[in-house]
Amino acid sequence: MTDTNNTPGADGGDAVVSAFNAVGADYLFCSSGSEWAPVWESLARRHRDGDPAPDYLDLTHETVAVGMATGYGLVTRRPQGVLLHAAPGLLQGSMAVHGALLAGVPMVVTSSESSTYGDGPGQDPGGQWYRNLSIVGGPQGIAQPFTKWATEAASVHTLPTMITRAAELAWRAPAGPAYLNVPLEILLEDWDGREAKKIVRPGSTHSSPEEVDPVAEMIREARNPVIVTETAGREAGGFEALVAFAEAWNIPVVEPDSAVCGNFPRNHPLHAGSDIGPWMDEADLILLVNCRVPFYPPSRKPSKARIVVIDEVPQRPHVVYQVLFADRYLEGNVTNTLRQLARRATNLDPDAVAARRTAQDERYVAEQAAVVRAEAKAAESEGVDPVLVAATLRRLLDGRDGIVVDETITHSRVVKRHVQTSTPDSYFYVQGGLGQGIAVALGVKLASGERPVVLTIGDGAFAYNPVIQSYDAAKAYGLPVLIVVFNNRVYKSMNLNHRRFYPDGAAAETGEWLGTDLHRLPRLAAFAEPFGMHTETVDTTDALVPALERALKAVTEGTTAVVDVLVTR
């Protein structure tokens, strides 16, 4: 093999950039690897010559790259490009890729391997591929379990269309990441310039009137129906369509703890909280709208309710065990289906509607009163109660069109209940494992412009994040976010499980609770100081509001702010 320099011209790197242009990707989120020199050279030429190319983000951790692509895709709902390094980089980013799959975010994830190991003509890929970087079966083999589709691009001539095909697959329901292995030799190979055709938005499928009409009749006949949803708000127009549907029929809406985004205004009189339990014996009709796993345990079947599943892909291929108990499916674009059903809200039984509306009004008033009592109690607490933190964020974000990204565990119910987001794309819960929240929030900010973005995160989750690399990205690309740490100095979820499984065990007897203590961590806000970010540590109720006000002011002025709140529980 002759190791010579590439001459300037079209090669596999140009093919990749050209293809992502055809995809319509705004960004390439890259955690650098040695295989991407051809792409970097293509970008440098395009920048020099004024030719089009996606914006390139140079990121220093794989989770940051994938997480930012996830956050960006949550808001834009369009596929972006992610460049990782070989199999090790793919493995490092795999949790975040799996999170994108669970969140339903389209993206094209790529990394590389060697196909010649130095024994073929052309440029020498380097011995590291032979010794350390390659794995048996190729990286597409390890990507298959946590992506929609994974394969290898085996020719520079098919590479552009392979990328656009991956994007088209990723974009279609159920949306999620697709993976493409692009060997380094393919990237270095001369390319004939045959560009892929630009891709367009997927077409939509609609439930037919013949399918919708019987469901409308089921709703009309029901005395005590309920809507349960996890991800209706993820669909374009889904949030608004769900509101219109619920209001047209006067049906309460439950967002269970498994909800992954804001689907319905938390302050709407028809919002029926997060617990499906009371409806299991009371409801005579349950409408599951984009609800992957409504019942737990899965065998917990409602006693008398008929069940209608409204979902474009109700049986999710990536969910290992899924039980819906469906009596009828409406499969097709969810937003369209909800709009069709809303238009059919005619000839309603006024007595039935009045009865369920009265019952829901009582539930809503009781819940709001409980919220007020909880917040009053929190305000009187000696330390900083997490309820007070969430309620303070609600008041400070009022009228700002803010977005909350949540990576708390034991405090997630508190955040949802007391922050009470009420507009489309205003709440997202991080999926697939802790350690992605800062990056997802940065991606949401990248897509959201001037809207303030707040990350609520536990101290345990914070410690899982690639904090330094995330701060580097925030600083480098001008992405100011407010990070509020609910710091109880313990892995509370793990401790609760230990206590639940072994209430009278040795640990309960001796007080030796392993795997949970986080008191030894330093001041969490301090990690942001070298980046010139605004930092606060709060341990009293009197300090909370001024600290959060200063932090929001810093974010408004363009600086990321970290507020570490030492909460009481």
Side-chain angles (χ1 to χ4, degrees):
M1 166 176 282
T2 301
D3 188 2
T4 59
N5 293 326
N6 249 8
T7 56
D11 59 14
D14 293 293
V16 168
V17 176
S18 169
F20 278 112
N21 276 336
V23 166
D26 301 315
Y27 292 95
L28 297 178
F29 299 85
C30 181
S31 177
S32 299
S34 54
E35 64 263 52
W36 298 118
V39 169
W40 298 332
E41 181 63 18
S42 174
L43 289 170
R45 282 197 298 267
R46 288 168 181 262
H47 295 160
R48 180 196 64 193
D49 299 338
D51 294 331
D55 287 338
Y56 176 86
L57 300 185
D58 220 343
L59 306 166
T60 53
H61 196 282
E62 290 84 356
T63 299
V64 177
V66 181
M68 287 185 66
T70 298
Y72 192 84
L74 284 170
V75 177
T76 66
R77 300 174 174 86
R78 293 186 288 105
Q80 306 299 312
V82 178
L83 313 183
L84 305 179
H85 177 44
L90 175 62
L91 287 168
Q92 182 71 51
S94 60
M95 180 187 67
V97 178
H98 181 237
L101 180 70
L102 297 181
V105 175
M107 63 179 66
V108 178
V109 180
T110 60
S111 72
S112 197
E113 64 175 347
S114 175
S115 57
T116 67
Y117 303 109
D119 279 340
Q123 296 214 63
D124 184 357
Q128 72 273 16
W129 298 94
Y130 180 51
R131 300 184 185 99
N132 299 317
L133 296 181
S134 295
I135 62 169
V136 175
Q140 65 270 24
I142 59 174
Q144 285 174 349
F146 51 84
T147 59
K148 280 188 67 178
W149 179 80
T151 193
E152 175 188 3
S155 167
V156 71
H157 305 296
T158 59
L159 176 58
T161 300
M162 290 292 277
I163 290 174
T164 56
R165 171 168 164 73
E168 291 186 319
L169 285 166
W171 208 351
R172 279 158 174 77
Y179 172 78
L180 198 61
N181 166 25
V182 187
L184 177 54
E185 290 84 347
I186 300 300
L187 290 168
L188 291 167
E189 191 174 342
D190 290 340
W191 174 50
D192 60 13
R194 285 182 291 177
E195 296 184 350
K197 183 183 183 298
K198 289 186 176 182
I199 68 171
V200 297
R201 287 186 173 276
S204 60
T205 58
H206 294 170
S207 296
S208 69
E210 291 77 16
E211 295 168 316
V212 175
D213 286 341
V215 172
E217 189 59 32
M218 292 171 70
I219 301 173
R220 193 172 287 110
E221 294 171 355
R223 308 293 294 182
N224 195 20
V226 64
I227 298 165
V228 183
T229 183
E230 292 177 339
T231 64
R234 189 182 60 197
E235 310 300 323
F239 188 101
E240 299 90 336
L242 183 59
V243 172
F245 169 52
E247 289 178 343
W249 293 90
N250 272 286
I251 303 176
V253 177
V254 173
E255 287 185 285
D257 291 333
S258 52
V260 305
C261 61
N263 304 288
F264 197 81
R266 300 286 301 194
N267 56 2
H268 194 290
L270 286 173
H271 197 288
S274 301
D275 187 8
I276 193 177
W279 301 92
M280 297 299 285
D281 294 324
E282 297 176 7
D284 56 358
L285 179 65
I286 297 178
L287 300 147
L288 300 178
V289 182
N290 264 31
C291 203
R292 308 157 299 165
V293 284
F295 312 116
Y296 190 83
S299 59
R300 186 189 183 197
K301 186 176 182 180
S303 60
K304 61 183 179 182
R306 292 188 293 175
I307 296 173
V308 175
V309 174
I310 302 172
D311 198 323
E312 192 163 4
V313 186
Q315 295 295 338
R316 305 293 171 86
H318 61 268
V319 177
V320 175
Y321 186 59
Q322 187 181 19
V323 181
L324 298 175
F325 296 119
D327 293 295
R328 186 178 289 271
Y329 288 105
L330 286 180
E331 299 181 45
N333 180 273
V334 169
T335 300
N336 179 272
T337 300
L338 294 176
R339 289 170 178 164
Q340 287 195 62
L341 287 170
R343 289 195 295 268
R344 286 164 170 77
T346 57
N347 301 320
L348 307 186
D349 182 338
D351 294 334
V353 171
R356 66 174 176 254
R357 187 58 191 253
T358 297
Q360 173 55 26
D361 286 345
E362 292 174 356
R363 281 188 293 264
Y364 181 76
V365 169
E367 167 62 10
Q368 294 308 305
V371 166
V372 170
R373 289 194 301 272
E375 293 180 3
K377 181 181 178 181
E380 296 172 357
S381 174
E382 288 188 6
V384 185
D385 191 287
V387 168
L388 182 63
V389 182
T392 303
L393 283 173
R394 182 188 72 242
R395 289 191 287 269
L396 293 179
L397 290 174
D398 185 38
R400 293 174 177 258
D401 194 23
I403 303 173
V404 175
V405 177
D406 188 18
E407 197 178 28
T408 62
I409 298 296
T410 54
H411 297 121
S412 62
R413 293 181 183 179
V414 169
V415 171
K416 290 178 183 177
R417 189 185 194 200
H418 294 277
V419 174
Q420 294 190 350
T421 55
S422 59
T423 56
D425 293 335
S426 60
Y427 174 85
F428 300 104
Y429 190 77
V430 177
Q431 296 292 291
L434 299 176
Q436 311 166 59
I438 305 177
V440 172
L442 293 176
V444 168
K445 179 62 179 176
L446 184 66
S448 302
E450 296 302 313
R451 294 180 69 183
V453 174
V454 179
L455 171 67
T456 53
I457 186 170
D459 51 324
F462 183 90
Y464 281 127
N465 272 256
V467 174
I468 301 304
Q469 298 91 332
S470 299
Y471 289 168
D472 172 65
K475 180 85 170 182
Y477 296 107
L479 300 172
V481 297
L482 171 58
I483 300 171
V484 180
V485 184
F486 286 65
N487 188 347
N488 57 10
R489 283 81 75 200
V490 66
Y491 282 124
K492 190 71 172 182
S493 177
M494 303 175 195
N495 184 251
L496 290 173
N497 267 354
H498 192 161
R499 293 174 185 271
R500 179 163 63 95
F501 296 145
Y502 301 97
D504 302 314
E509 179 184 347
T510 65
E512 184 182 12
W513 301 106
L514 300 175
T516 64
D517 186 20
L518 294 177
H519 281 85
R520 65 182 182 270
L521 292 179
R523 287 178 50 239
L524 299 184
F527 292 99
E529 291 173 0
F531 293 89
M533 295 173 174
H534 182 91
T535 64
E536 302 263 2
T537 300
V538 175
D539 59 2
T540 65
T541 55
D542 291 342
L544 179 63
V545 172
L548 288 175
E549 287 177 338
R550 289 190 295 267
L552 270 173
K553 182 175 184 292
V555 170
T556 302
E557 294 172 351
T559 301
T560 288
V562 183
V563 182
D564 183 18
V565 186
L566 306 184
V567 293
T568 56
R569 58 188 172 93

